[in-house]
């Protein structure tokens, strides 16, 4: 069987296209932002930022797990009609409510002038509802190349509309209109790529199962916004603007590699686990080991190179942000692997469990960051974030997985080996850097030492697990052709106890932090 015909081949291809799309869109947004900044006033930019914040929060709440229900459900055709109706109703309702309440929302956010852009951006909710089925179809097929095409059309059309209107003197309106027009074109491309059209039908049983699973997903998505902002709110109030500035800079840098890796993984996690639902439990450990190994490598290098990255990119005056970046790199790594675990649990229908983990995380995080801010300012908040991520978030997921009868011991071992190796390599690298008088040279040396030690300690461990991961995706028959030397004991016997019936009993719906349904940006 050809590599592209196997599930592992399709997952690999999807990861490549997803990564390419993420890089291209981010670079495009950076370039567009530079051009727009020379045309639009800072005040207009700020008002648009308020409108975009409102749109993003409402979109997170609006995602009821509709696309994910189609991605993982075996009765795909039966569900498309009711899901399309739910998407249209929720999207249309949110568009109407948001547009009518735009003046009140803008005033509450401290920018009355943002009412117009908020009302315009409200149209994106309706577009998301209209496009839920073709978006889910592309996700289900692991067709990240198709999603890349719709992303490109979305961004290209939106950029042209925005620039034209900005040049004509409608900068603030142009930013909002460009986003709506671009998304409309992107959704149209998704319909064209899937050779489908909007089809509406109703089945009360299907609708009930979608909403039963989807409402906890909506709550979890909303909580994720709170989790992403609670540290900054606390730090700004307790430590002041200067400490917050250093922290925000470090937090932004910490998202560079993790956003790239995380978005690529989120795009394939749910469809991949859904397509191996009868052996999903057996696939979790062999798949998570190599993923966590790569994530820890990225985090370790970011932590080791924190000083040269901050100083070279932003200048010496931002040097205090370097020490903040080290614990935040840990936070980024844990969040990526938690997204993978959430995608796995969503594929098995455990949306309420994921929501419970989010609640536990928030309850532990708030007092921790308050104590950290009072004790050590921005570095204290960063350390608190890392401590809660490692000491609360990961154990909470392990407890939830244990209740799902997963092999927690093997999973813990798969997380522990790269984690401990990465921590030791970074510690050694920073120790070496401390003996070098030139901080910049010391930081570069720390990166080299970290990479060498981590690779030496883990390459032999991870190589057979890459082959085992391919075996887990393709199944034993396909893997016999693709990777005959895969290591069988990389998949624990206890993990093989999950049967197709057990997995199907747990199914209903969800989407982790994947792009909002029907959208391309």
């Amino acid at each position: 069987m050809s590599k592209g015909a196997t599930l592992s081949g399709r997952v690999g291809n999807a990861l490549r296209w997803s990564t390419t799309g993420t890089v291209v869109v981010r670079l495009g947004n950076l370039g567009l932002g530079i051009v727009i900044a020379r045309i639009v006033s800072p005040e207009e930019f700020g008002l648009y930022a308020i409108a975009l914040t409102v749109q993003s929060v409402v979109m997170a709440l609006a995602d009821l797990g509709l696309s994910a229900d189609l991605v993982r459900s075996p009765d795909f055709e039966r569900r498309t009609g009711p899901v399309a109706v739910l998407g249209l109703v929720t999207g249309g309702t949110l568009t109407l409510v948001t547009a009518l309440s735009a003046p009140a929302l803008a005033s509450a956010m401290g920018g009355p002038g943002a009412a117009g852009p908020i009302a315009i951006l409200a149209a994106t909710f309706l577009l998301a509802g209209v496009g839920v089925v073709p978006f889910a179809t592309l996700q289900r097929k692991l067709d990240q190349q198709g999603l890349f095409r719709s992303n490109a059309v979305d961004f290209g059309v939106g950029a042209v509309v925005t620039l034209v209107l900005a040049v004509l003197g409608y900068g603030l309106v142009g930013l909002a209109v460009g986003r709506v027009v671009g998304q409309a074109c992107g959704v149209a491309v998704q319909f064209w790529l899937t050779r489908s059209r909007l089809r509406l039908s109703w089945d009360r049983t299907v609708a009930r199962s979608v909403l039963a699973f989807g409402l906890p997903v909506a709550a979890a998505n909303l909580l994720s916004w709170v989790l992403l902002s609670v540290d900054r709110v606390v730090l700004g109030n307790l430590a002041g603007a200067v400490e917050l500035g250093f922290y925000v800079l470090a937090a932004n840098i910490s998202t560079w590699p993790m956003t790239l890796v995380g978005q690529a993984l989120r795009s394939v996690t749910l469809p991949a686990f859904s397509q191996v639902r009868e052996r999903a439990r057996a696939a979790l450990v062999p798949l998570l080991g190599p993923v966590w190994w790569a994530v820890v490598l990225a985090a370790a290098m970011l932590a080791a190179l924190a000083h040269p990255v901050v100083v070279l990119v932003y200048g010496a005056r931002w040097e205090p942000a370097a020490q903040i970046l080290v614990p935040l790199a840990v936070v980024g790594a844990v969040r990526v692997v938690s997204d993978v675990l959430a995608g796995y649990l969503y594929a098995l229908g455990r949306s309420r469990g994921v929501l419970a983990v989010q609640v536990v995380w928030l309850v532990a995080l708030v007092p921790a960051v308050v104590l950290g801010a009072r004790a050590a300012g921005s570095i204290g908040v960063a350390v608190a974030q890392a401590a809660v991520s490692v000491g609360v978030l990961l154990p909470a997921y392990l407890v939830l997985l244990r209740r799902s009868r997963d092999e927690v011991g093997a999973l813990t071992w798969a997380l522990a080996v790269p984690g401990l190796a990465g921590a030791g390599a970074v510690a050694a690298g920073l120790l070496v850097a401390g003996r070098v008088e030139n901080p910049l040279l010391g930081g570069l040396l720390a990166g080299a030492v970290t990479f060498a030690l981590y690779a030496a300690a883990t390459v032999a461990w991870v190589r057979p697990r890459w082959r085992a991961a391919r075996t887990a995706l393709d199944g034993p028959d396909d893997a016999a052709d693709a990777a005959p030397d895969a290591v069988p004991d990389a998949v624990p016997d206890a993990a093989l106890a999950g049967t197709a019936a057990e997995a199907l009993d747990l199914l209903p719906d969800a989407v982790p932090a994947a792009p909002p349904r029907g959208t391309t940006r």
Side-chain angles (χ1 to χ4, degrees):
M1 182 178 291
S2 65
K3 181 180 179 181
T6 63
L7 181 56
S8 63
R10 291 188 291 123
V11 167
N13 187 58
L15 284 171
R16 287 189 290 272
W17 276 107
S18 179
T19 302
T20 301
T22 301
V23 172
V24 170
V25 170
R26 284 189 170 272
L27 290 177
N29 280 326
L30 176 62
L32 179 62
I34 293 172
V35 175
I36 292 296
R38 298 177 180 274
I39 304 174
V40 177
S41 68
E43 180 183 3
E44 290 177 315
F45 234 103
L47 292 174
Y48 178 68
I50 291 174
L52 199 59
T53 299
V54 172
Q55 186 242 15
S56 300
V57 172
V58 176
M59 188 69 82
L61 183 63
D63 193 309
L64 297 179
L66 300 178
S67 60
D69 184 72
L70 296 178
V71 169
R72 56 158 192 80
S73 294
D75 54 342
F76 176 81
E77 294 297 334
R78 179 190 173 204
R79 290 176 173 265
T80 54
V83 166
V85 171
L86 288 171
L88 197 59
V89 171
T90 57
T93 301
L94 286 169
T95 292
L96 182 62
V97 171
T98 304
L100 292 176
S101 60
L105 290 171
S107 298
M109 295 285 289
I118 290 176
I120 294 171
L121 289 175
T124 59
F125 309 137
L126 178 59
L127 291 170
V130 170
V132 62
V133 173
F135 176 76
T137 302
L138 293 172
Q139 285 268 17
R140 180 184 177 90
K141 294 179 178 178
L142 288 166
D143 188 3
Q144 288 297 316
Q145 182 178 5
L147 288 173
F148 174 77
R149 292 175 181 174
S150 64
N151 285 342
V153 171
D154 181 339
F155 175 79
V157 172
V160 170
V161 172
T162 297
L163 288 173
V164 169
L165 290 177
V167 169
L168 293 176
Y170 301 98
L172 180 57
V173 172
L175 287 164
V177 171
R179 191 171 185 87
V180 172
V181 174
Q183 182 172 328
C185 293
V187 170
V189 170
Q190 291 175 5
F191 273 107
W192 176 74
L193 288 171
T194 56
R195 301 295 189 268
S196 63
R197 59 184 177 84
L198 185 63
R199 293 184 176 89
L200 304 177
S201 63
W202 188 247
D203 185 318
R204 184 177 299 179
T205 302
V206 171
R208 189 182 297 117
S209 70
V210 170
L211 292 176
F213 192 90
L215 291 175
V217 175
N221 286 342
L222 188 60
L223 269 183
S224 68
W225 275 94
V226 177
L227 287 163
L228 287 173
S229 58
V230 64
D231 52 349
R232 305 180 191 203
V233 172
V234 169
L235 187 59
N237 281 280
L238 295 182
V242 175
E243 289 285 329
L244 180 61
F246 287 128
Y247 182 87
V248 170
L249 181 77
N252 289 340
I253 296 175
S254 72
T255 65
W256 290 352
M258 297 311 162
T259 297
L260 183 63
V261 174
Q263 286 188 357
L265 287 172
R266 283 193 295 268
S267 68
V268 303
T269 298
L270 181 59
F273 278 123
S274 298
Q275 292 189 33
V276 295
R277 60 170 56 87
E278 64 278 357
R279 57 180 191 277
R281 287 191 174 90
L284 178 61
V285 173
L287 286 174
L288 192 63
V291 167
W292 178 237
W293 177 86
V295 169
V296 171
L297 175 60
M301 293 304 298
L302 187 62
L305 294 170
H307 188 275
V309 166
V310 170
V311 173
L312 289 176
V313 176
Y314 293 98
R317 64 176 179 167
W318 291 98
E319 189 174 6
Q323 61 179 345
I324 304 171
L325 181 54
V326 175
L328 288 183
V330 176
V331 177
V334 173
R335 283 183 172 173
V336 170
V337 78
S338 68
D339 281 344
V340 174
L341 293 174
Y344 165 76
L345 289 164
Y346 281 146
L348 296 183
R350 299 296 304 275
S351 63
R352 293 182 182 180
V354 175
L355 175 59
V357 171
Q358 295 270 52
V359 172
V360 169
W361 185 9
L362 180 63
V363 169
L365 185 61
V366 172
V369 295
V370 169
L371 291 174
R374 288 176 174 171
S378 54
I379 185 64
V381 171
V383 171
Q385 281 263 34
V388 171
S389 296
V390 175
V392 176
L393 179 58
L394 278 181
Y397 269 114
L398 292 176
V399 170
L400 183 58
L401 290 167
R402 185 180 183 85
R403 293 183 62 185
S404 297
R405 301 185 299 279
D406 286 285
E407 182 49 59
V408 174
L411 189 60
T412 303
W413 178 249
L415 294 173
V417 172
L420 293 174
V426 171
L430 295 179
L431 183 63
V432 171
R435 299 178 177 273
V436 179
E437 293 185 4
N438 187 315
L440 185 59
L441 180 61
L444 295 174
L445 185 60
V449 170
T450 297
F451 180 81
L453 291 179
Y454 183 74
T458 59
V459 165
W461 178 87
V462 79
R463 285 183 64 185
R465 284 161 177 80
W466 282 112
R467 296 192 293 269
R470 187 166 58 186
T471 302
L473 285 174
D474 297 336
D477 294 335
D478 293 341
D481 298 328
D485 56 345
V487 178
D489 60 1
V491 183
D493 292 338
L496 296 173
T499 64
E502 290 172 337
L504 291 172
D505 284 342
L506 295 172
L507 291 175
D509 162 90
V511 67
R517 52 189 169 82
T519 66
T520 55
R521 282 191 290 169

